[in-house]
Amino acid sequence: MSESLDKLFSPTRIKRDADALATWGCDWTRSFPVAPSAVVFPETIEEVQALVVLANAEGLQLVPSGGRTGLSGGAVASHGEVVVSFDRMNRIIGFAPADRLVTCQAGVVTQTLQEFAERQGYFYPVDFASSGSSQLGGNIATNAGGIRVIRYGMTRNWIAGLTVVTGTGEILDCNQGLVKNATGYDLRHLFIGSEGTLGFIVEADVRLTRIPEPQRVMVLGFEEFRGILKVLSHFQSRIELSAFEFFSELALQKVTAHRKLQRPLAKSSPFYALLEFDASAVADASAAFEHTLGEGWVTDGVLSQSDAQAASLWQLREGISESLAPCSPYKNDLSVRITEMPEFLDVVDELMRASYPDFELVWYGHIGDGNLHLNILKPDDLSIEEFYGRCREINPRLFELVQERRGSISAEHGVGLLKKEFLEYSRSPAELEIMRALKSVLDPNGIMNPGKLL
Amino acid sequence: MKVLVPVKRVVDANVKIRVKPDKSGVDLTNVKMTVNPFCEIAIEEAVRMKEAGTATEVVAVAVGVSACQEQLRTCLALGADRAVLIETDVDIQPLGVATALKALQEKEQADIILFGKQSIDGDNGQTGQMFAALTGMPQGTFASEVTIENGKAYVTREVDGGLQKISTSLPVVITTDLRLNEPRYASLPNIMKAKKKQMDIFTPEELGVDVTPTLEVLSVEPPPVRAAGIKVESVEELVDKLKNEAKVIP
């Protein structure tokens, strides 16, 4: 089988050394074995197609690989699979100003797309801490969200066309970048968020928008979580928010220590929120703050006086995930409706404290989207296996709480290997059956990212 | 003890600036302006002196256009007690600022005049020293540590190759270096309170000074665009280029 691969890819575009296998064979998760058999670097759609045809003929299994910043093991190759890296399909192919569309290969790095858009006088609004490494193909395959979802929505909202190589080796040109296209099933949306299990995304037409006006950032302190939601709805009634993020005091302690950042407020609070909005809304936002202070929902707050300060305040939120990495956190990425959040946070907190009084809990997340990141930190005296084992023990009870509120066990991190066994808490048996049926049509031999999601 | 802190309104450090097509200067239309970062450090130091009980009053002062009021309000929010704007539309330069501040100091009689060491737009690093020369005050420039004790100022200066510790009598001119402190964020309750704090506005004429620029800007040029990198095919080629083109190895 390795010979056929070598016919398809020249020696510089196929790697089998241990370093390469370890690098391209995994994502940001560190809890799964990494054991691919090779890494290949296609440059064209036709090469991806030929690879899929070969894989079907010879029984190879393929794992797509983008920026490898995933948090659920969606791009981990554990069983001798061939990793298909899109690193070399990183060109921006075209730009149509009247359509506001950029056509990109799957391996274009998110930040490269953002910068390209800006040079054309436009804006690509999907943004997250890893946008300097993550690739567009991976963003689409996981329907990535991030920090401006409250204003701009998920990656799905910005994909106007999609070229996909299915598990049967067909090339599909979905929706062709059209605004209007009422011709039946929109297959594009089937592939968005499919985690590479139905086909590989090779090209996309991405919609751009206007460059927003300069932004201002507030960080507010709260005594209780309920206050945050009151503040969210009060601000939303007065101004349009570009971001509404939340983090706990422990998260702040971790990030300020890790990045040597200054604390935002003179006194500590149990909870904080970071708000971003247009500079022209500063007066309204300040009035909204006065109201929330008067009501006693917030304890204190700061407002950025320069773009440099806005960037420093953002670091308090964006640096959290990285600052927790040394503690090998067990990450939960949950969502419920915003209305359900305060009560949900209470019951989860209670469950965790009762079950694991010795574990540190770090809460943060995109509160404006109903999305909470709950990170459980590993105590120094536990091995990773033991720690993850104990975290997984509680998952059924945690996910029951999610299920009771018709929430999601994975809001934006995807399912991959990490959440696979718990999918039933968010998807009904009927839904799962349809998902499996779709998989069998588009990837009958089960060669596309096997073992992930389903 | 009174501390006077001159602050400058400058382009935000995170803004990518553009030179005007006629090369007469930097295009400032719709560009975010902010307090010069070194002046922010000066304000922070003054407020800390007040919090520590060393200073009794902190006065922020700006020389420039009417919009400088915005930056002065920020200083008030950060803890200055009151502010003064010496309002002028002329393209203000270090000697003009130092002259105007000398006139203000004659009214204010501050004990410590705390400057930023330089502004991030002009990069002159002159105003504090010119002010000291005009007033005949001692100066402790590029300060990374300041202590006021028994009527004297002890200043640790960042100099080439190390630190220099000096002591001076008061009143004194001090200019702040980067490591002196880390400025706080402006808290929203303090921003609200700052709206009600006193701000006096004078013209240079009212102070009896002339701030007309003495230097004429002939042309402002953007830095040359960096040439794109190239890929070399082999180590030999790389070594050859380092030797013969870049001339960085013998």
Side-chain angles (χ1 to χ4, degrees), chain A residues 29-136:
Chain A
T29 55
R30 291 289 176 269
S31 49
F32 303 105
V34 177
S37 60
V39 187
V40 295
F41 298 87
E43 290 180 346
T44 63
I45 296 175
E46 289 69 30
E47 277 182 359
V48 177
Q49 184 182 35
L51 177 63
V52 171
V53 169
L54 176 76
N56 273 304
E58 304 204 358
L60 298 178
Q61 299 194 310
L62 306 177
V63 172
S65 166
R68 306 186 304 280
T69 57
L71 297 168
S72 295
V76 172
S78 295
H79 301 103
E81 301 97 326
V82 174
V83 172
V84 185
S85 166
F86 287 89
D87 285 3
R88 280 179 176 246
M89 292 183 69
N90 62 353
R91 283 184 309 120
I92 292 176
I93 299 168
F95 172 59
D99 295 307
R100 288 190 182 181
L101 284 184
V102 193
T103 305
C104 299
Q105 289 186 315
V108 168
V109 170
T110 316
Q111 193 179 332
T112 308
L113 170 59
Q114 290 165 343
E115 287 167 0
F116 175 85
E118 212 174 301
R119 283 199 300 278
Q120 313 301 321
Y122 290 93
F123 184 60
Y124 179 63
V126 180
D127 193 21
F128 25 71
S130 59
S131 50
S133 327
S134 75
Q135 296 177 3
L136 184 63

Side-chain angles (χ1 to χ4, degrees), chain A residues 332-389:
Chain A
N332 274 297
D333 168 37
L334 312 168
S335 81
V336 292
R337 289 197 193 186
I338 292 169
T339 326
E340 306 265 11
M341 290 198 98
E343 188 257 354
F344 179 67
L345 191 124
D346 284 348
V347 293
V348 172
D349 210 47
E350 199 178 310
L351 170 70
M352 289 292 162
R353 282 182 200 292
S355 316
Y356 301 125
D358 52 332
F359 288 178
E360 279 189 312
L361 298 183
V362 178
W363 288 98
Y364 60 97
H366 317 288
I367 209 84
D369 315 325
N371 182 186
L372 282 170
H373 295 311
L374 166 62
N375 282 238
I376 311 169
L377 306 190
K378 187 180 83 61
D380 288 337
D381 54 355
L382 279 187
S383 74
I384 282 215
E385 292 72 28
E386 203 181 338
F387 170 64
Y388 278 26

Side-chain angles (χ1 to χ4, degrees), chain A residues 106-271:
Chain A
V108 168
V109 170
T110 316
Q111 193 179 332
T112 308
L113 170 59
Q114 290 165 343
E115 287 167 0
F116 175 85
E118 212 174 301
R119 283 199 300 278
Q120 313 301 321
Y122 290 93
F123 184 60
Y124 179 63
V126 180
D127 193 21
F128 25 71
S130 59
S131 50
S133 327
S134 75
Q135 296 177 3
L136 184 63
N139 294 352
I140 298 170
T142 55
N143 188 23
I147 53 181
R148 299 211 170 78
V149 172
I150 193 171
R151 181 161 181 179
Y152 295 105
M154 309 285 283
T155 298
R156 184 185 299 282
N157 298 25
W158 301 91
I159 304 304
L162 211 53
T163 308
V164 177
V165 176
T166 69
T168 54
E170 300 289 338
I171 297 175
L172 303 185
D173 182 10
C174 305
N175 198 55
Q176 309 100 299
L178 298 171
V179 177
K180 293 189 161 186
N181 180 15
T183 54
Y185 310 140
D186 192 337
L187 298 180
R188 163 184 51 156
H189 287 298
L190 192 54
F191 291 100
I192 299 173
S194 66
E195 302 190 17
T197 59
L198 304 177
F200 290 168
I201 290 152
V202 286
E203 224 173 85
D205 297 314
V206 182
R207 203 168 298 288
L208 303 180
T209 185
R210 269 185 319 124
I211 295 180
E213 59 171 289
Q215 302 288 298
R216 293 287 178 276
V217 173
M218 270 185 190
V219 170
L220 309 179
F222 297 84
E223 274 308 316
E224 55 169 357
F225 187 79
R226 277 162 214 277
I228 299 183
L229 294 177
K230 289 177 189 156
V231 168
L232 170 66
S233 72
H234 184 73
F235 270 83
Q236 279 186 314
S237 73
R238 300 180 79 140
I239 62 170
E240 173 151 42
L241 291 168
S242 307
F244 194 96
E245 297 287 310
F246 141 85
F247 45 94
S248 63
E249 168 62 22
L250 187 56
L252 182 71
Q253 284 173 15
K254 296 284 177 190
V255 73
T256 49
H258 182 250
R259 292 207 174 173
K260 301 193 170 51
L261 298 172
Q262 197 179 14
R263 292 182 64 93
L265 308 181
K267 288 189 187 135
S268 70
S269 297
F271 302 108

Side-chain angles (χ1 to χ4, degrees), chain B residues 142-163:
Chain B
F142 314 112
S144 61
E145 203 183 332
V146 175
T147 318
I148 310 292
E149 233 171 50
N150 304 325
K152 291 186 90 173
Y154 298 85
V155 179
T156 305
R157 305 181 61 231
E158 302 223 339
V159 293
D160 286 346
L163 299 173

Side-chain angles (χ1 to χ4, degrees), chain B residues 1-176:
Chain B
M1 189 176 298
K2 188 193 277 188
V3 186
L4 187 66
V5 187
V7 294
K8 187 174 184 184
R9 171 183 164 92
V10 297
V11 173
D12 191 296
N14 280 30
V15 167
K16 281 181 208 139
I17 55 162
R18 287 198 180 89
V19 173
K20 286 183 195 166
D22 66 0
K23 297 190 175 172
S24 63
V26 170
D27 191 354
L28 295 181
T29 35
N30 295 325
V31 168
K32 167 78 180 151
M33 304 296 281
T34 178
V35 177
N36 177 43
F38 290 107
C39 302
E40 231 182 334
I41 294 172
I43 282 284
E44 176 68 29
E45 195 65 18
V47 172
R48 288 185 191 186
M49 284 178 185
K50 192 175 173 202
E51 285 168 348
T54 319
T56 48
E57 190 183 23
V58 176
V59 183
V61 51
V63 183
V65 294
S66 172
C68 291
Q69 290 180 53
E70 198 188 322
Q71 279 65 45
L72 288 171
R73 287 285 169 210
T74 298
C75 297
L76 293 171
L78 289 170
D81 297 293
R82 62 187 170 86
V84 178
L85 172 61
I86 302 171
E87 188 178 335
T88 172
D89 288 331
V90 307
D91 174 31
I92 200 79
Q93 290 175 355
L95 187 57
V97 176
T99 310
L101 291 174
K102 178 177 180 254
L104 184 71
Q105 166 64 3
E106 278 158 17
K107 290 163 68 107
E108 293 284 349
Q109 296 293 317
D111 304 283
I112 301 166
I113 298 88
L114 205 50
F115 287 84
K117 72 165 180 177
Q118 72 194 89
S119 60
I120 61 163
D121 53 358
D123 256 353
N124 294 302
Q126 294 175 322
T127 311
Q129 291 88 333
M130 284 178 168
F131 175 85
L134 289 173
T135 55
M137 283 186 197
Q139 53 183 310
T141 49
F142 314 112
S144 61
E145 203 183 332
V146 175
T147 318
I148 310 292
E149 233 171 50
N150 304 325
K152 291 186 90 173
Y154 298 85
V155 179
T156 305
R157 305 181 61 231
E158 302 223 339
V159 293
D160 286 346
L163 299 173
Q164 182 191 42
K165 295 192 176 196
I166 60 164
S167 68
T168 77
S169 58
L170 300 181
V172 62
V173 174
I174 296 169
T175 77
T176 62

